[in-house]
């Protein structure tokens, strides 16, 4: 079955530390992948997306992700986090260009001053 | 830029009551998706519409129904509410008619509390 899985459910790190959140997908053929961020009490905000082309995708707020087809992975990275990056991060995917999104379980990231 | 509008933002209902959630997509967007996010959970797809026709259906209870109107806004009708229906309901929109893959833009959500 098509799915998206996230490895870490909770991550705690200090400001200026580097962040990497794992995401694996199980789609064959076409795959669209996304990372969303959800700040407390707010809606989902798109950080970045991959449809095709360059596997290294740069998004907003200094985030980037790398699509590695051989590993079925789409990990999110940020070289130096800030306290304001405290939020929940969701990886999402779909097997076509317009279908429903399937979300991973989410990773709660807490950045301490 | 205009965003997806959802109303109401908060709704409190009692068990067995009905609720109607509304979603107004971004102008010129023709596709609407509904998701349910329970406490501490990831969003789950409920149903989607493209050009006023249902395009996909997920884990939506039979007690729920939805439609997309001629102005592309969508309504999610929920009847015989249960405590387990308490959740954040997101609507997302995209413009499929533009060709190529598109991203879904999420609204602020409606927080439904069933008491």
């Amino acid at each position: 079955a098509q799915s998206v899985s996230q490895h870490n459910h909770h991550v705690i790190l200090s400001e200026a530390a580097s962040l990497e959140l794992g995401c694996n997908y199980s789609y064959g053929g076409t795959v669209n992948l996304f990372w969303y961020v959800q700040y407390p009490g707010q809606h989902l905000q798109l950080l970045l997306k991959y449809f095709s082309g360059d596997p290294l995708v740069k998004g907003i707020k200094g985030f980037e992700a790398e699509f590695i087809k051989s590993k079925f992975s789409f990990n999110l990275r940020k070289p130096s986090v800030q306290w304001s990056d405290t939020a929940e991060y969701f990886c999402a995917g779909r097997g076509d260009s317009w279908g429903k999104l399937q979300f991973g379980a989410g990773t709660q990231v807490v950045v301490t001053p | 830029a205009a965003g997806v509008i959802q109303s109401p933002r908060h709704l409190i209902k009692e068990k067995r009551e009905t609720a109607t959630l509304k979603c107004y997509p971004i102008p010129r967007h023709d596709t609407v998706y509904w998701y349910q996010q329970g406490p501490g959970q990831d969003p789950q797809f409920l149903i989607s519409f493209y050009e006023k026709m249902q395009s996909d259906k997920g884990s939506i209870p039979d007690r729920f129904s939805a439609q997309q109107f001629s102005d592309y806004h969508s309504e999610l009708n929920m009847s015989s509410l249960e405590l387990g229906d308490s959740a954040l309901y997101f609507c997302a929109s995209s413009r499929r008619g533009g060709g190529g893959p598109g991203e879904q833009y999420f609204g602020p959500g409606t927080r439904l509390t069933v008491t």
Side-chain angles (χ1 to χ4, degrees):
Chain A
Q2 298 177 332
S3 67
V4 172
S5 61
Q6 293 181 239
H7 312 308
N8 315 95
H9 295 295
H10 291 92
V11 171
I12 301 175
L13 61 168
S14 302
E15 276 190 310
S18 63
L19 172 71
E20 180 162 1
L21 303 181
C23 172
N24 286 96
Y25 64 92
S26 61
Y27 298 89
T30 298
V31 59
N32 293 172
L33 295 164
F34 307 81
W35 274 99
Y36 285 89
V37 61
Q38 187 175 33
Y39 299 102
Q42 296 190 25
H43 64 289
L44 293 162
Q45 181 179 358
L46 182 68
L47 282 176
L48 46 81
K49 60 183 183 282
Y50 174 79
F51 292 157
S52 63
D54 189 344
L56 185 61
V57 180
K58 293 192 183 299
I60 62 171
K61 302 179 187 289
F63 286 91
E64 65 178 32
E66 186 174 10
F67 172 69
I68 304 180
K69 190 173 181 179
S70 61
K71 295 184 178 180
F72 296 91
S73 70
F74 189 59
N75 293 353
L76 180 71
R77 298 192 292 252
K78 185 170 184 178
S80 177
V81 295
Q82 300 172 317
W83 176 80
S84 58
D85 292 322
T86 294
E88 186 149 23
Y89 293 80
F90 290 97
C91 181
R94 64 187 182 198
D96 54 48
S97 298
W98 296 104
K100 61 182 179 289
L101 294 178
Q102 290 175 298
F103 288 85
T107 300
Q108 182 66 50
V109 174
V110 175
V111 180
T112 59
Chain B
V4 177
I5 297 171
Q6 290 188 247
S7 68
R9 294 291 308 277
H10 301 272
L11 190 59
I12 300 175
K13 291 286 187 178
E14 296 186 354
K15 282 173 55 177
R16 293 180 289 277
E17 285 191 319
T18 62
T20 297
L21 279 53
K22 298 184 179 182
C23 169
Y24 298 86
I26 292 171
R28 297 198 301 155
H29 281 197
D30 49 23
T31 307
V32 168
Y33 307 81
W34 285 97
Y35 294 87
Q36 177 192 56
Q37 185 179 25
Q41 299 181 12
D42 56 291
Q44 294 290 321
F45 171 74
L46 292 177
I47 195 166
S48 63
F49 294 89
Y50 167 56
E51 282 291 345
K52 292 151 281 184
M53 299 287 289
Q54 181 181 306
S55 53
D56 197 1
K57 191 172 182 179
S59 51
I60 183 170
D62 292 339
R63 301 176 288 106
F64 294 8
S65 65
Q67 58 182 321
Q68 185 180 33
F69 295 85
S70 58
D71 64 351
Y72 295 101
H73 94 274
S74 178
E75 294 184 5
L76 177 65
N77 298 293
M78 311 160 70
S79 62
S80 302
L81 287 169
E82 301 174 356
L83 294 178
D85 296 329
S86 295
L88 193 55
Y89 290 84
F90 287 112
C91 169
S93 76
S94 62
R95 184 166 178 262
R96 183 171 183 171
E103 63 183 87
Q104 295 179 19
Y105 294 82
F106 282 81
T110 294
R111 183 168 296 282
L112 173 67
T113 303
V114 181
T115 62

